[in-house]
Each structure stands twice: as C-alpha cells, then as structure tokens.
Amino acid sequence: MSPHSAHIARVYDQIIARNPGEREFHQAVEEVFESLHLVLEKHPEYMDSSVLERMCEPERQIIFRVPWTADDGTVHINRGFRVQFNSALGPYKGGLRFHPDVLLGTMKFLSFEQVFKNSLTGLPIGGGKGGSDFDPKGRSETEIMRFCQSFMTEAYRHLGDTVDVPAGDIGVGRREIGFLFGQHKRITNRYEAGVITGKGTTWGGSLLRPEATGYGTVYFTEHMLRSRGESVDGRRVIVSGSGNVAIHAIEKVQELGGTVIAASDSAGCVHDPDGIDLELLREVKEHRRARISAYAEARPRARHIDGAVWSLAAEESADIALPCATQNEIDGDAARALAEAGIRAVAEGANMPCTPEAVDVFQEAGVLFAPGKAANAGGVAVSALEMQQNASRDSWTAEYTDERLAETMEHIHTLCASTAEEYGVAGDYVAGANIAGFLRVADAMLAQGVI
Ligand code: NAP
C-alpha cells in the first residue's frame, strides 16, 4: 500500500472508531476519501499537517433540549442540533432539518458535505448544519410556531451573521424560517437580517431563494448533457420528492423543454404520462399540505403507486433522474434498473440520495452523474447572495439573482470537470467535486495555522 493510501486508511479507521454508529457520516467521509488518494499523491504536505483528521472533526457540536407544549396541553421534548463543522472559508452556513429520523450522525454527514459544497461555490462561507428530530407532519401551525420558538431560544446563542447562518432543509420552509427569525429578533432585540436565510422577500429574503436549489440542479444537468452535445430539451425526466427542491427542479425542466413524468413523497409516487401538472402538484403539496396521492385523484391519466419512483424508468423510457427527496433513496438495484432503462444523466438534488453502490453502477454504465455537493449547491449560493443583500441593505431583482445562480452553477460545473481532468479522471464529477472542494478548504486551513 502506498504511504498516502495507508494514511487515508488509518484516518478512516480512526473516524469509525471515534464516531460509532454514525453510518451516514462514515458513508459521506468514505466517499470523499476515495477521491483524495489522487490529491495526496501530488500533495503529501496535507498529510504532514493532519488536514484530513482536522477536516473530519467538527469544530463544534451543539446538542440541546427543545421542550414545547402541544395544543392539547401535553409537553413534548425534542432534541436540537447544530454542528458547526468548518469555518475556514467563512461563517458556518447550512440548513436546518426537522424530521423524526434526525440523529447526530445525520447532522454530521450533512454538515460535512456542506463544507465541500460551500467551498465549490467560491463564496466566503464555511459549513454547518442543524435541526431536530421534531416531526412537523400533522402538527398545527401554532404547534410548529411554539416548537420553532423553543428551538431558537437555545440556538440563538450560537448564531450570528459573522458566526453561523442557518437556512431551510427538509421540514423547514419559509413558514418555519419566519417563526425562527421572529424569535431571534425578539430575544436579541436586533433586526439581524443576515442571521438566517430563506426569509420572506418583504422582510430581507432574496428573490429566487426557494427556487435556487431545484433550478441549480437542472442548470448543472444541462451543462453535463451539453458536454456530450445533448440537452434537457425533449427529455423525459423522473423526479423524486415533491418538496421545495423537487418542485423547482420540475419547473426548470419544463422551462427547458423537458417532460417530468413522475414525482413522489414519503408515502409513494405519482406517474403522469402527460407530464406533471405543476400547478396541481403545488396546490396539493404546498397549499393543502396533502399526500401526493391527492394529485393522482385529480388527474384522469395519472396513477398513484406505493413503491419507489425509479421503477417507472423502463416503462417510460426515461432519460434523466433527479433524486430530490432524501439520503440513500437510490440503492444498487434501483441504479441498475435505471441504467438498464437507458438513463443518460442523474443529478442529486437531495444530499447523498445515491448509495456508494449506486454511484459505482452509474459510473460504470457511463451515465453522467452529478453528486449533490456540486449539483444542489445553487441553494446555498443564493443564500450567500441573500447575506450579501442583507449586509448592503439591498434587494436584487429575480432576473439578476437568476443570472448569478446560473453563473455559479456553470462555474461549479467547469471547476468539477477541469479538476477531474487535471487529476486524470476526466468525466468523473464525484472526484472533481471532492478534490476541488477539498483543496480550497485545506489551503485556507493550512494558512490559518493549527486551529
Ligand atoms: P422538503 O421541502 O421538506 O421536501 C422533502 C421531500 O422529500 C418531500 O416530498 C418529502 O415527502 C420527501 N421525503 C422526505 N423524507 C423522505 C423519506 N425518508 N423517504 C421518502 N421521501 C422523503 O425538503 P427539501 O428542501 O426539498 O429537501 C430535499 C432534499 O434536498 C434534502 O436531501 C435536502 O437536504 C436537500 N437540499 C435542500 C436544499 C434546500 O435549499 N432546501 C438545498 C440543498 C440540498 P413528504 O412530503 O411525504 O414529507
């Protein structure tokens, strides 16, 4: 074994031993380490200064009690988290997730990924992530407000526009951001707009922030396809999820001339051979907050299916898959089914929706594959633009913001492609993203000393 391979193996073993049971965190680290062999071969100096070890240990992990009272008077206790992973490039930046599956390991995988993603944007933002095991499903608006207020009553001590700036993620949309921001303002008696992003546009939010992750994922997909002389235009697309990222990915695919024939939620999926009616999907998921089955009930040719959305690829001769729901939603079998169905491109709108086996299957089959840390970086990029607007008390138009988003996604695509080429793995966007993301953070860490 070469010295750099031995170094990586030793650091990885230490991470497993020091973070027992955090399966998703191990998975995220392993995926990055697979690409770093190529870097350490060229730059052994990163081994001497223990950069890998430092990059895998969060700077700070905050875990706190979140007590709140339900409408019926019962008292509930949830667990709140904020993992401040790396601030070499700027204040910690990354969303909050409210979902019953949230554990410390989930937060660590997401914040670790966030460090590399934020680095790829080229913007001055470090990486963090937070959230709670609170389940918003079935809760009234007042219960959600009380939960958010209780969460912020502890979290505010650790946040600030030069410290740590959260945003939304699964279960945290504009409504929750409003409740969180309101409580922060009330406790601190300061209108610190830059303390959180994803705000409403009349009170400091950026136009195009809700759209940014989904739009950005499709911009990245378009760039990948163009590298092979193809485009989204005329393509049949399968999207998983029907939340913020999925809905805006569907919107952008339709704008670029593609047809989305399926979408899903945590209770199943809908197949609509005529193409998803976005207005109806929004009505069902955003306004009524209903199950996606209600969509199928309202569309004559659509049907609801209990299983995963990917099984439709063969039947529908789909060309593109955009997983936009949650982690590990495409396993090896699903990836094989997609590859056999002739899928051309997969872009991760969600964070780590493909298992390592699935990624291998896509790459071996020659499917264009965009990892989430590159493909879904548009959301955090526009969040950083929201911070810029807050700092200068400015408000940009949607057109201007969209141009900046499109430029950023083009930059990320070019950076991943050129880095992969430079390191002898042309076309491997996973390696390109991991290496380019790593280098910017690692160099900043080296410059800042052993901290
Ligand atoms: P969201 O608005 O809460 O939507 C999540 C969607 O995924 C919903 O349709 C949800 O179904 C489905 N889902 C959630 N957990 C699931 C599970 N365990 N199994 C199957 N389906 C599940 O969240 P989002 O903001 O769109 O985030 C989606 C993904 O994108 C996440 O991986 C997130 O980390 C990533 N991401 C988001 C942003 C952003 O700006 N929001 C940025 C970068 C990456 P139900 O409606 O049934 O709950």
Side-chain angles (χ1 to χ4, degrees):
M1 199 186 271
S2 65
H4 54 270
S5 296
H7 178 76
I8 288 177
R10 187 178 50 74
V11 177
Y12 185 68
D13 286 347
Q14 276 172 11
I15 288 162
I16 303 288
R18 281 165 64 89
N19 304 277
E22 296 177 355
R23 195 178 47 82
E24 290 161 339
F25 178 50
H26 303 163
Q27 182 182 331
V29 171
E30 187 178 9
E31 190 244 349
V32 169
F33 277 15
E34 272 173 21
S35 310
L36 294 186
H37 290 270
L38 300 166
V39 178
L40 298 189
E41 217 170 294
K42 272 195 179 184
H43 300 284
E45 65 272 19
Y46 294 123
M47 289 194 282
D48 304 336
S49 50
S50 298
V51 167
L52 256 60
E53 290 93 319
R54 285 195 274 151
M55 271 174 99
C56 295
E57 184 69 21
E59 289 176 15
R60 195 170 297 105
Q61 307 181 60
I62 301 142
I63 305 181
F64 50 100
R65 181 171 67 200
V66 190
W68 56 280
T69 309
D71 291 343
D72 63 6
T74 52
V75 173
H76 297 254
I77 306 297
N78 283 100
R79 188 170 284 177
F81 301 93
R82 188 71 186 167
V83 177
Q84 299 180 329
F85 218 109
N86 193 304
S87 62
L89 296 177
Y92 311 105
K93 182 87 198 82
L96 295 174
R97 174 176 294 192
F98 292 167
H99 191 279
D101 291 347
V102 162
L103 296 166
L104 178 61
T106 324
M107 298 285 100
K108 280 167 74 175
F109 117 67
L110 287 166
S111 49
F112 181 75
E113 289 272 300
Q114 196 78 42
V115 173
F116 294 83
K117 180 186 311 190
N118 294 3
S119 166
L120 287 173
T121 66
L123 296 163
I125 40 179
K129 198 91 182 186
S132 173
D133 57 1
F134 172 69
D135 186 358
K137 279 209 182 72
R139 290 293 170 192
S140 70
E141 185 119 343
T142 50
E143 288 176 323
I144 287 175
M145 181 182 71
R146 283 197 293 276
F147 175 81
C148 289
Q149 290 176 339
S150 181
F151 185 93
M152 186 52 88
T153 301
E154 170 58 33
Y156 90 97
R157 302 171 208 281
H158 313 285
L159 307 180
D161 58 6
T162 59
V163 182
D164 185 353
V165 184
D169 190 79
I170 291 179
V172 180
R174 189 160 280 177
R175 175 181 62 176
E176 291 73 21
I177 294 290
F179 296 149
L180 291 161
F181 178 71
Q183 182 71 352
H184 185 275
K185 180 163 63 73
R186 181 192 199 186
I187 297 171
T188 60
N189 193 30
R190 286 164 63 91
Y191 201 104
E192 198 184 337
V195 76
I196 196 161
T197 58
K199 300 180 292 294
T201 48
T202 54
W203 44 280
S206 174
L207 287 165
L208 228 83
R209 175 59 189 88
E211 292 85 352
T213 308
Y215 279 18
T217 302
V218 179
Y219 288 147
F220 196 98
T221 309
E222 180 73 357
H223 284 299
M224 282 201 303
L225 287 166
R226 276 194 208 156
S227 73
R228 287 192 180 168
E230 301 174 20
S231 109
V232 170
D233 190 15
R235 297 291 182 184
R236 294 177 77 72
V237 183
I238 295 184
V239 173
S240 68
S242 48
N244 176 269
V245 178
I247 281 188
H248 295 106
I250 295 171
E251 187 172 61
K252 188 52 77 177
V253 166
Q254 292 180 344
E255 258 179 60
L256 295 185
T259 304
V260 178
I261 45 92
S264 67
D265 68 10
S266 56
C269 64
V270 287
H271 172 214
D272 190 339
D274 299 327
I276 293 284
D277 176 341
L278 196 54
E279 211 178 311
L280 175 60
L281 187 63
R282 286 194 133 125
E283 165 61 24
V284 169
K285 293 302 297 182
E286 290 183 343
H287 302 125
R288 282 157 54 192
R289 295 184 189 267
R291 305 278 72 205
I292 205 167
S293 50
Y295 175 96
E297 285 157 21
R299 284 274 281 184
R301 295 212 323 132
R303 63 189 167 119
H304 182 255
I305 301 167
D306 280 339
V309 72
W310 316 117
S311 62
L312 294 165
E315 180 184 337
E316 273 293 339
S317 314
D319 306 295
I320 299 170
L322 302 177
C324 297
T326 193
Q327 62 268 21
N328 292 328
E329 51 168 314
I330 301 187
D331 60 12
D333 288 341
R336 270 183 286 278
L338 286 166
E340 279 160 22
I343 214 94
R344 325 255 334 134
V346 177
E348 294 187 323
N351 284 310
M352 210 168 74
C354 299
T355 65
E357 188 189 354
V359 178
D360 289 345
V361 170
F362 290 136
Q363 292 188 324
E364 278 160 26
V367 174
L368 290 165
F369 177 77
K373 53 173 79 74
N376 71 39
V380 74
V382 171
S383 271
L385 302 184
E386 183 170 329
M387 290 163 71
Q388 285 182 25
Q389 292 168 76
N390 294 151
S392 58
R393 297 181 195 277
D394 202 355
S395 176
W396 304 344
T397 63
E399 292 71 27
Y400 178 70
T401 314
D402 195 20
E403 273 170 36
R404 298 281 307 264
L405 169 65
E407 274 167 20
T408 305
M409 296 315 297
E410 185 174 4
H411 157 78
I412 296 174
H413 177 268
T414 307
L415 180 64
C416 294
S418 61
T419 306
E421 205 169 316
E422 186 188 335
Y423 281 81
V425 283
D428 184 342
Y429 289 96
V430 175
N434 287 337
I435 296 170
F438 169 84
L439 289 173
R440 190 165 167 243
V441 179
D443 289 342
M445 288 176 75
L446 286 185
Q448 292 168 21
V450 178
I451 51 169

